Amino acid sequence: MSKVGSENWRTHARIINKVKGQPMDEDKRILLIEKPLDEVVNHTKSLSKWMSVRHPLTRLVSCCQDKFRNGSNSSKWENDDLQTFLFPALLSNGLVYKSQESSTWREFLAKTNTSVQLLAPKDDRLRWSVTFKEFLRHVVNTFESGGEVNKHWITYGLICSPCLFEYDYIAKIETHSQDLEYMFKKFSIPSNPQQSVKTRGSVLGKVTKDFRYYKTLPLELKEKLYNIYQVDMKMFGYDLPEDFWNTP
């Protein structure tokens, strides 16, 4: 699950226990996921299971800040990020990559079998980035189009299957430090409280700042977002900001 603080858990465990490498690349995990689906499911159900969540609205903000450079007008993107994040979002909004003759953009259009008109250099639709509102329109579009939804904004219900797996523990990024200490003690995993302090920050203050991103959004877009993420919010006890439905 992406953008819910799970990397903080893995990093903490690696540092404290002096373990190198990525848990996602471990041989045991690779061997498991290569087995038939029913064996994977049955094995997973036999383990202690926990998942990490955060408020769906702040998760979207985190994704925009990280994967979409928070809307900054920078041409310095890795090719993989361009093709995975920026280019699809541009097309969702009827926009075109500013370097429209670049090989990366042309390769993406060819790979996705997409035809785009060549625009005049000063056309406003030529862009290096997308705004937060445009990013959210793209998010909504990925759900409504019936195609593949990116793991960074897919719903918890779709990717973690909480109705199929009976999770033993639910950790929240809003209470990360407390949850980390509890879980590590529960499973006798060596821990260092000072290490968790480094990842704590001003969590509640950050949540409040993240909610401000939604203040200027049109009502129609807010309604679509709520329809997508309302089950996640209800399932894990998250409420909308008090002024969410206010419009400018």
Side-chain angles (χ1 to χ4, degrees):
M1 169 65 73
S2 299
K3 310 313 299 177
V4 294
S6 53
E7 182 59 30
N8 285 341
W9 288 77
R10 292 192 290 268
T11 299
H12 181 96
R14 287 199 301 270
I15 292 175
I16 299 304
N17 296 284
K18 298 180 180 179
V19 176
K20 296 182 179 180
Q22 273 285 352
M24 303 297 283
D25 298 329
E26 286 185 354
D27 291 340
K28 289 190 295 184
R29 178 182 180 277
I30 294 173
L31 290 174
L32 173 63
I33 62 178
E34 289 177 348
K35 293 181 178 181
L37 179 60
D38 60 335
E39 289 188 34
V40 176
V41 171
N42 289 333
H43 178 76
T44 303
K45 286 183 174 180
S46 70
L47 304 173
S48 290
K49 296 170 288 298
W50 78 68
M51 64 182 290
S52 182
V53 299
R54 73 188 300 174
H55 197 297
L57 296 185
T58 67
R59 182 174 171 232
L60 291 172
V61 172
S62 177
C63 180
C64 184
Q65 291 172 338
D66 179 24
K67 301 303 180 182
F68 290 83
R69 310 294 192 272
N70 206 24
S72 62
N73 287 315
S74 172
S75 59
K76 297 178 181 179
W77 286 63
E78 296 292 336
N79 283 349
D80 286 347
D81 284 347
L82 284 172
Q83 300 207 27
T84 302
F85 299 108
L86 181 60
F87 290 171
L90 289 171
L91 294 180
S92 286
N93 287 275
L95 303 172
V96 174
Y97 188 50
K98 196 170 184 68
S99 183
Q100 55 185 329
E101 295 285 8
S102 71
S103 59
T104 308
W105 173 246
R106 288 295 160 188
E107 288 170 6
F108 172 78
L109 295 178
K111 184 174 65 177
T112 57
N113 195 28
T114 304
S115 178
V116 173
Q117 177 186 1
L118 194 66
L119 302 178
K122 293 185 178 182
D123 196 299
D124 290 338
R125 290 171 292 175
L126 290 174
R127 300 277 290 281
W128 288 122
S129 62
V130 292
T131 64
F132 182 63
K133 180 169 67 175
E134 291 162 347
F135 157 66
L136 293 179
R137 284 175 177 162
H138 172 56
V139 168
V140 169
N141 182 59
T142 62
F143 281 97
E144 293 182 342
S145 65
E148 182 178 355
V149 180
N150 189 279
K151 66 180 181 179
H152 291 85
W153 57 80
I154 195 171
T155 61
Y156 302 136
L158 288 175
I159 196 170
C160 291
S161 304
C163 294
L164 174 63
F165 297 105
E166 188 173 340
Y167 286 90
D168 302 291
Y169 308 96
I170 305 295
K172 292 186 174 184
I173 201 170
E174 294 85 359
T175 53
H176 173 267
S177 295
Q178 301 96 304
D179 294 348
L180 183 148
E181 285 302 303
Y182 174 83
M183 295 297 294
F184 278 36
K185 288 178 180 178
K186 182 75 176 179
F187 291 95
S188 301
I189 301 174
S191 180
N192 178 356
Q194 294 305 311
Q195 183 66 33
S196 64
V197 169
K198 294 179 182 178
T199 62
R200 182 186 297 149
S202 181
V203 178
L204 295 180
K206 177 69 165 59
V207 169
T208 300
K209 290 180 180 179
D210 287 348
F211 284 158
R212 293 174 187 167
Y213 277 68
Y214 294 86
K215 285 192 173 183
T216 60
L217 297 181
L219 182 60
E220 180 183 6
L221 182 55
K222 290 181 178 181
E223 289 174 340
K224 289 183 176 181
L225 288 171
Y226 179 68
N227 289 336
I228 292 170
Y229 293 102
Q230 64 173 317
V231 173
D232 278 0
M233 284 188 276
K234 291 178 180 178
M235 192 160 30
F236 299 108
Y238 289 113
D239 297 317
L240 288 172
E242 291 184 1
D243 59 351
F244 182 76
W245 295 115
N246 294 349
T247 54

